[in-house]
Amino acid sequence: MKIQFLGHSCFSIASGSYTLLIDPFLSASPVAAARAEEVSATHLFVTHGHHDHLGDALAIAARCRPVVYATVETARLFPDDLTVEPGQIGGFVAAPFGGVKWTAALHGSGVPGSLACGYLLTIEGKKIYHAGDTGLSTEMSLLAEENVDAALLPIGDRYTMGPADALRALKLIRPRLVVPMHYNTWPLIRQDAVRFAEAAVAAGTKAVVLQPGETLDL
Ligand code: NI
Ligand code: MN
Protein backbone atom coordinates (compact mmCIF):
# COMPACT_ATOMS: atom_id res chain seq x y z
CA MET A 1 0.00 0.00 0.00
CA LYS A 2 1.02 3.60 -0.48
CA ILE A 3 0.68 6.28 2.19
CA GLN A 4 0.79 9.80 0.81
CA PHE A 5 1.20 12.81 3.11
CA LEU A 6 -0.86 15.74 1.85
CA GLY A 7 0.25 18.19 4.55
CA HIS A 8 -0.70 18.92 8.18
CA SER A 9 -2.60 15.76 9.33
CA CYS A 10 -3.98 14.72 5.95
CA PHE A 11 -2.97 11.36 4.54
CA SER A 12 -4.24 9.39 1.55
CA ILE A 13 -3.73 5.64 1.76
CA ALA A 14 -4.07 3.66 -1.47
CA SER A 15 -4.63 -0.07 -1.20
CA GLY A 16 -5.98 -2.09 -4.11
CA SER A 17 -9.21 -0.47 -5.24
CA TYR A 18 -9.56 1.52 -2.02
CA THR A 19 -8.45 5.05 -1.25
CA LEU A 20 -8.63 6.04 2.40
CA LEU A 21 -8.46 9.77 3.05
CA ILE A 22 -7.88 11.10 6.57
CA ASP A 23 -8.47 14.68 7.79
CA PRO A 24 -8.62 16.40 4.38
CA PHE A 25 -7.58 19.93 5.30
CA LEU A 26 -6.55 21.15 1.86
CA SER A 27 -8.13 24.31 0.41
CA ALA A 28 -7.32 26.45 3.48
CA SER A 29 -4.02 24.76 4.31
CA PRO A 30 -0.84 26.71 3.59
CA VAL A 31 1.05 23.43 3.05
CA ALA A 32 -1.45 21.23 1.17
CA ALA A 33 0.06 19.12 -1.61
CA ALA A 34 -3.23 18.76 -3.47
CA ARG A 35 -6.36 20.74 -4.10
CA ALA A 36 -9.59 19.45 -2.57
CA GLU A 37 -11.01 18.96 -6.09
CA GLU A 38 -8.06 16.70 -7.03
CA VAL A 39 -8.28 14.07 -4.30
CA SER A 40 -10.52 11.04 -4.28
CA ALA A 41 -11.72 8.76 -1.53
CA THR A 42 -13.65 5.53 -1.16
CA HIS A 43 -13.40 5.89 2.63
CA LEU A 44 -13.10 9.19 4.46
CA PHE A 45 -12.00 9.61 8.08
CA VAL A 46 -12.45 12.68 10.26
CA THR A 47 -10.72 12.73 13.66
CA HIS A 48 -12.60 15.81 14.94
CA GLY A 49 -14.42 18.92 13.87
CA HIS A 50 -11.63 21.52 14.07
CA HIS A 51 -11.25 23.27 10.73
CA ASP A 52 -7.73 21.93 10.20
CA HIS A 53 -9.10 18.34 10.23
CA LEU A 54 -12.70 18.52 9.02
CA GLY A 55 -11.33 20.79 6.32
CA ASP A 56 -12.83 19.95 2.93
CA ALA A 57 -14.44 16.72 4.14
CA LEU A 58 -18.03 17.77 3.38
CA ALA A 59 -17.23 18.87 -0.17
CA ILE A 60 -15.12 15.78 -0.88
CA ALA A 61 -17.83 13.55 0.57
CA ALA A 62 -20.46 15.19 -1.65
CA ARG A 63 -18.30 14.71 -4.75
CA CYS A 64 -16.74 11.26 -4.13
CA ARG A 65 -19.49 9.72 -1.98
CA PRO A 66 -17.11 7.72 0.24
CA VAL A 67 -18.05 5.86 3.38
CA VAL A 68 -17.50 8.44 6.12
CA TYR A 69 -16.11 7.58 9.57
CA ALA A 70 -16.38 9.93 12.54
CA THR A 71 -17.44 9.98 16.16
CA VAL A 72 -21.19 10.17 16.60
CA GLU A 73 -21.96 13.88 16.80
CA THR A 74 -19.33 14.78 14.22
CA ALA A 75 -20.80 12.15 11.90
CA ARG A 76 -24.10 14.07 12.01
CA LEU A 77 -22.43 16.95 10.14
CA PHE A 78 -22.66 14.78 7.02
CA PRO A 79 -25.90 14.59 5.02
CA ASP A 80 -28.20 11.60 5.41
CA ASP A 81 -27.81 10.49 1.81
CA LEU A 82 -24.19 9.51 2.46
CA THR A 83 -23.06 6.23 3.96
CA VAL A 84 -21.79 7.20 7.38
CA GLU A 85 -20.16 4.91 9.93
CA PRO A 86 -20.46 6.61 13.30
CA GLY A 87 -18.47 5.13 16.16
CA GLN A 88 -16.99 5.82 19.53
CA ILE A 89 -13.62 5.32 21.15
CA GLY A 90 -12.85 1.65 21.62
CA GLY A 91 -15.31 0.60 18.95
CA PHE A 92 -14.31 -1.49 15.92
CA VAL A 93 -16.09 -2.03 12.62
CA ALA A 94 -15.07 -4.33 9.81
CA ALA A 95 -14.47 -2.69 6.44
CA PRO A 96 -13.85 -4.10 2.96
CA PHE A 97 -10.14 -3.22 3.26
CA GLY A 98 -9.84 -4.64 6.79
CA GLY A 99 -11.15 -2.72 9.76
CA VAL A 100 -11.45 0.52 11.66
CA LYS A 101 -11.06 1.14 15.39
CA TRP A 102 -11.68 4.49 17.01
CA THR A 103 -8.90 5.36 19.46
CA ALA A 104 -8.70 7.82 22.33
CA ALA A 105 -7.46 11.36 21.79
CA LEU A 106 -6.95 13.98 24.48
CA HIS A 107 -8.29 16.99 22.63
CA GLY A 108 -11.40 19.09 22.00
CA SER A 109 -13.60 18.08 19.10
CA GLY A 110 -15.05 21.38 17.95
CA VAL A 111 -18.49 19.77 17.82
CA PRO A 112 -20.74 20.00 20.89
CA GLY A 113 -21.08 16.64 22.61
CA SER A 114 -18.53 14.96 20.39
CA LEU A 115 -15.19 13.40 21.22
CA ALA A 116 -11.99 13.82 19.28
CA CYS A 117 -10.45 10.52 18.22
CA GLY A 118 -7.70 8.79 16.36
CA TYR A 119 -7.99 5.73 14.13
CA LEU A 120 -6.36 2.33 14.14
CA LEU A 121 -6.78 1.08 10.59
CA THR A 122 -6.20 -2.50 9.50
CA ILE A 123 -5.33 -2.56 5.80
CA GLU A 124 -3.86 -5.56 3.96
CA GLY A 125 -3.26 -7.09 7.37
CA LYS A 126 -1.10 -4.15 8.44
CA LYS A 127 -2.01 -1.65 11.12
CA ILE A 128 -1.76 2.09 10.73
CA TYR A 129 -2.44 4.35 13.70
CA HIS A 130 -3.41 7.96 12.92
CA ALA A 131 -3.42 9.67 16.31
CA GLY A 132 -5.47 12.70 15.28
CA ASP A 133 -4.85 15.68 17.54
CA THR A 134 -3.86 14.49 20.98
CA GLY A 135 -1.62 15.04 23.92
CA LEU A 136 0.43 12.20 25.28
CA SER A 137 -1.83 9.77 27.11
CA THR A 138 -1.46 6.50 28.95
CA GLU A 139 -4.21 5.13 26.66
CA MET A 140 -1.52 4.87 24.01
CA SER A 141 0.04 1.99 25.93
CA LEU A 142 -3.01 -0.10 24.91
CA LEU A 143 -1.75 0.10 21.33
CA ALA A 144 1.43 -1.83 22.14
CA GLU A 145 -0.49 -5.11 21.89
CA GLU A 146 -1.87 -4.12 18.48
CA ASN A 147 1.53 -4.42 16.78
CA VAL A 148 1.22 -1.11 14.95
CA ASP A 149 3.17 -1.05 11.69
CA ALA A 150 3.06 2.71 11.16
CA ALA A 151 2.14 5.43 13.67
CA LEU A 152 1.25 8.87 12.35
CA LEU A 153 1.87 11.15 15.32
CA PRO A 154 1.49 14.91 15.85
CA ILE A 155 4.67 16.67 16.93
CA GLY A 156 3.67 20.33 16.60
CA ASP A 157 3.26 21.02 20.32
CA ARG A 158 0.91 23.72 21.74
CA TYR A 159 -2.31 22.02 20.50
CA THR A 160 -0.97 18.44 20.55
CA MET A 161 2.06 16.49 21.68
CA GLY A 162 5.38 18.05 20.89
CA PRO A 163 8.48 16.14 19.82
CA ALA A 164 9.53 15.17 23.35
CA ASP A 165 6.13 13.71 24.24
CA ALA A 166 5.85 12.06 20.82
CA LEU A 167 9.11 10.25 21.64
CA ARG A 168 7.56 9.15 24.94
CA ALA A 169 4.50 8.00 22.97
CA LEU A 170 6.73 5.73 20.88
CA LYS A 171 7.78 3.94 24.07
CA LEU A 172 4.09 3.27 24.82
CA ILE A 173 2.91 2.37 21.30
CA ARG A 174 6.06 0.58 20.05
CA PRO A 175 5.26 0.93 16.33
CA ARG A 176 7.61 -0.37 13.65
CA LEU A 177 7.65 3.04 12.01
CA VAL A 178 6.68 6.60 12.89
CA VAL A 179 5.73 9.46 10.58
CA PRO A 180 5.44 12.93 12.18
CA MET A 181 2.52 15.20 11.32
CA HIS A 182 0.74 18.39 12.49
CA TYR A 183 3.85 20.62 12.41
CA ASN A 184 5.18 23.53 10.30
CA THR A 185 1.72 24.33 8.93
CA TRP A 186 1.94 27.66 10.75
CA PRO A 187 4.66 29.36 12.84
CA LEU A 188 2.87 28.42 16.08
CA ILE A 189 3.58 24.73 15.48
CA ARG A 190 7.02 24.98 13.93
CA GLN A 191 9.21 21.98 14.74
CA ASP A 192 12.34 20.26 13.50
CA ALA A 193 10.96 16.97 12.19
CA VAL A 194 14.36 15.68 11.12
CA ARG A 195 15.68 16.10 14.64
CA PHE A 196 12.59 14.26 15.94
CA ALA A 197 13.21 11.45 13.44
CA GLU A 198 16.87 11.17 14.46
CA ALA A 199 15.86 10.91 18.10
CA ALA A 200 13.24 8.27 17.26
CA VAL A 201 15.81 6.20 15.37
CA ALA A 202 18.29 6.57 18.22
CA ALA A 203 15.58 5.23 20.55
CA GLY A 204 14.97 2.26 18.26
CA THR A 205 12.01 3.24 16.05
CA LYS A 206 12.30 3.70 12.30
CA ALA A 207 11.15 7.19 11.34
CA VAL A 208 10.21 8.69 8.00
CA VAL A 209 9.75 12.43 7.49
CA LEU A 210 7.44 13.01 4.55
CA GLN A 211 7.27 16.38 2.83
CA PRO A 212 3.75 17.27 1.69
CA GLY A 213 3.10 15.27 -1.47
CA GLU A 214 5.61 12.52 -0.67
CA THR A 215 4.61 8.86 -0.47
CA LEU A 216 5.73 5.97 1.68
CA ASP A 217 5.41 2.34 0.58
CA LEU A 218 4.31 0.08 3.41
NI1 NI B 1 -7.73 20.06 16.77
MN1 MN C 1 -5.28 20.29 14.61
Side-chain angles (χ1 to χ4, degrees), residues 8-66:
H8 199 54
S9 294
C10 180
F11 289 84
S12 176
I13 303 171
S15 168
S17 58
Y18 304 111
T19 303
L20 287 64
L21 185 65
I22 310 167
D23 282 357
F25 172 55
L26 299 170
S27 60
S29 166
V31 297
R35 293 186 301 123
E37 303 77 41
E38 291 173 338
V39 299
S40 65
T42 59
H43 298 79
L44 177 63
F45 300 83
V46 177
T47 61
H48 63 295
H50 288 156
H51 75 99
D52 57 320
H53 299 263
L54 184 63
D56 301 289
L58 287 162
I60 292 167
R63 179 171 57 80
C64 300
R65 310 202 63 78

Side-chain angles (χ1 to χ4, degrees), residues 6-188:
L6 293 174
H8 199 54
S9 294
C10 180
F11 289 84
S12 176
I13 303 171
S15 168
S17 58
Y18 304 111
T19 303
L20 287 64
L21 185 65
I22 310 167
D23 282 357
F25 172 55
L26 299 170
S27 60
S29 166
V31 297
R35 293 186 301 123
E37 303 77 41
E38 291 173 338
V39 299
S40 65
T42 59
H43 298 79
L44 177 63
F45 300 83
V46 177
T47 61
H48 63 295
H50 288 156
H51 75 99
D52 57 320
H53 299 263
L54 184 63
D56 301 289
L58 287 162
I60 292 167
R63 179 171 57 80
C64 300
R65 310 202 63 78
V67 180
V68 178
Y69 297 81
T71 52
V72 173
E73 291 80 6
T74 301
R76 290 195 192 117
L77 299 177
F78 291 84
D80 288 340
D81 64 335
L82 288 174
T83 304
V84 180
E85 292 273 16
Q88 290 289 23
I89 288 161
F92 171 89
V93 292
F97 52 82
V100 178
K101 190 171 189 179
W102 284 259
T103 60
L106 282 183
H107 194 72
S109 75
V111 178
S114 201
L115 292 169
C117 71
Y119 290 99
L120 181 64
L121 304 173
T122 305
I123 309 167
E124 296 179 14
K126 292 187 172 163
K127 291 191 179 176
I128 299 173
Y129 168 55
H130 186 297
D133 276 1
T134 185
L136 178 68
S137 87
T138 55
E139 310 302 322
M140 290 172 178
S141 62
L142 299 174
L143 292 165
E145 290 177 37
E146 300 278 2
N147 296 312
V148 173
D149 290 286
L152 317 177
L153 299 185
I155 65 160
D157 227 337
R158 182 179 292 267
Y159 306 113
T160 68
M161 298 186 287
D165 276 355
L167 289 170
R168 295 169 71 194
L170 292 178
K171 290 185 188 168
L172 303 181
I173 303 164
R174 290 191 259 124
R176 286 184 47 239
L177 166 74
V178 62
V179 179
M181 64 177 182
H182 209 273
Y183 66 94
N184 289 4
T185 314
W186 304 284
L188 283 175

